[in-house]
């Protein structure tokens, strides 16, 4: 059916709102996805409906990415995930320039899964919390700063009529504001990023 793709592209451009039609076509047609640049796949997390892998790329930047892979339903009785994947991608693209939301690089479909390619963040809030040392009072300013930034990020989503519905420490990611040396010098170096919008509405 490759010969009908140009016709589909021309007609789907009329679907509103833009680019909903192109987004749906990319999730339905393998020809629009090139996953060959992602190699050395290593599982780093998973949930009820998807698995997250760390992969290398053949690009100068980013060198590594996080790929969320959601398998197709195996029978007609299984939960249909296409709607949730479409909604998640729509949300990530809407906030593409907002530092409080996961950066999305690409998305598509393989012969067995839907794929979302995102920035690989250094650590989740849960992982970071388990690594903390010393008395909790010593770290209280940092904890309060992170909590404040989480509230600001959630407030930003709600101002756009979006609810996350799966907020937990595993889905709060931490990034560097001023350096990338794998060590935060103070709470001012930490950027809070919300991830996993698979349940968002």
């Amino acid at each position: 059916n490759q010969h009908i793709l140009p016709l589909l592209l021309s007609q789907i451009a009329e679907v509103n709102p833009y680019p909903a039609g192109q987004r749906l076509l990319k999730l339905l047609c393998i020809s629009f996805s090139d996953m060959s640049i992602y190699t050395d796949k290593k599982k780093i997390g998973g949930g009820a409906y998807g698995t997250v892998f760390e992969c290398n790329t053949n690009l100068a930047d980013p060198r590594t990415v996080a790929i969320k892979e959601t398998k197709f339903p195996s029978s007609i009785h299984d939960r249909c995930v296409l709607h949730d994947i479409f909604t998640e991608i729509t949300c990530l693209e809407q906030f593409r320039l907002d530092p409080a939301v996961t950066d999305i690089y690409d998305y598509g479909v393989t012969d067995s899964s839907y794929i979302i390619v995102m920035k690989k963040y250094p650590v989740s809030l849960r992982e970071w919390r388990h690594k903390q040392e010393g008395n909790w009072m010593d770290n209280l300013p940092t904890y309060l700063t992170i909590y404040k930034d989480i509230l600001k990020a959630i407030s930003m989503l709600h101002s756009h009529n979006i609810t996350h519905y799966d907020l937990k420490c595993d889905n709060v990611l931490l990034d560097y504001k001023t350096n990338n040396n794998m060590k935060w010098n103070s709470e001012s170096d930490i950027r809070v990023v919300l991830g996993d919008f698979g349940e968002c509405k």
Side-chain angles (χ1 to χ4, degrees):
N1 297 328
Q2 295 291 318
H3 64 283
I4 69 171
L5 290 181
L7 176 61
L8 278 177
L9 280 173
S10 63
Q11 294 187 352
I12 211 163
E14 301 175 7
V15 175
N16 290 314
Y18 177 85
Q22 289 87 339
R23 189 178 295 130
L24 182 60
L25 186 59
K26 194 169 182 183
L27 287 171
L28 294 175
C29 184
I30 295 178
S31 299
F32 293 118
S33 302
D34 180 11
M35 298 299 159
S36 63
I37 65 172
Y38 308 115
T39 60
D40 304 320
K41 186 165 70 172
K42 179 177 68 174
K43 181 179 177 180
I44 58 175
Y49 304 116
T51 305
V52 180
F53 298 91
E54 178 180 348
C55 296
N56 295 327
T57 75
N58 57 8
L59 307 173
D61 185 42
R63 293 180 179 272
T64 60
V65 295
I67 295 183
K68 181 178 180 179
E69 182 177 301
T70 305
K71 294 291 186 181
F72 296 158
S74 57
S75 77
I76 61 172
H77 305 291
D78 291 341
R79 175 176 177 268
C80 179
V81 297
L82 178 58
H83 176 270
D84 292 336
I85 295 293
F86 183 90
T87 302
E88 180 173 7
I89 293 168
T90 300
C91 185
L92 292 176
E93 289 195 322
Q94 179 179 348
F95 297 104
R96 185 185 289 273
L97 299 179
D98 195 301
V101 175
T102 305
D103 285 342
I104 181 171
Y105 294 140
D106 196 10
Y107 60 90
V109 62
T110 69
D111 56 1
S112 61
S113 307
Y114 299 109
I115 301 293
I116 304 178
V117 184
M118 299 167 286
K119 178 177 178 179
K120 170 66 173 65
Y121 290 91
V123 70
S124 71
L125 180 58
R126 181 182 64 83
E127 293 168 330
W128 177 84
R129 182 65 185 90
H130 286 325
K131 294 178 181 177
Q132 297 307 294
E133 299 176 352
N135 190 293
W136 70 271
M137 285 294 294
D138 297 334
N139 298 317
L140 185 59
T142 301
Y143 296 158
L144 292 177
T145 298
I146 291 174
Y147 182 59
K148 179 192 69 176
D149 289 345
I150 292 173
L151 294 179
K152 288 171 61 178
I154 295 171
S155 177
M156 181 273 297
L157 291 181
H158 291 178
S159 70
H160 290 82
N161 298 316
I162 291 176
T163 304
H164 191 282
Y165 282 119
D166 193 22
L167 195 64
K168 57 186 178 182
C169 288
D170 280 324
N171 293 338
V172 176
L173 309 172
L174 301 182
D175 200 8
Y176 304 93
K177 281 185 179 178
T178 59
N179 60 68
N180 194 27
N181 60 9
M182 298 303 291
K183 182 179 180 181
W184 284 281
N185 297 319
S186 69
E187 63 269 15
S188 62
D189 282 345
I190 298 176
R191 173 182 289 120
V192 167
V193 182
L194 300 183
D196 195 351
F197 284 77
E199 302 286 337
C200 76
K201 304 294 182 186

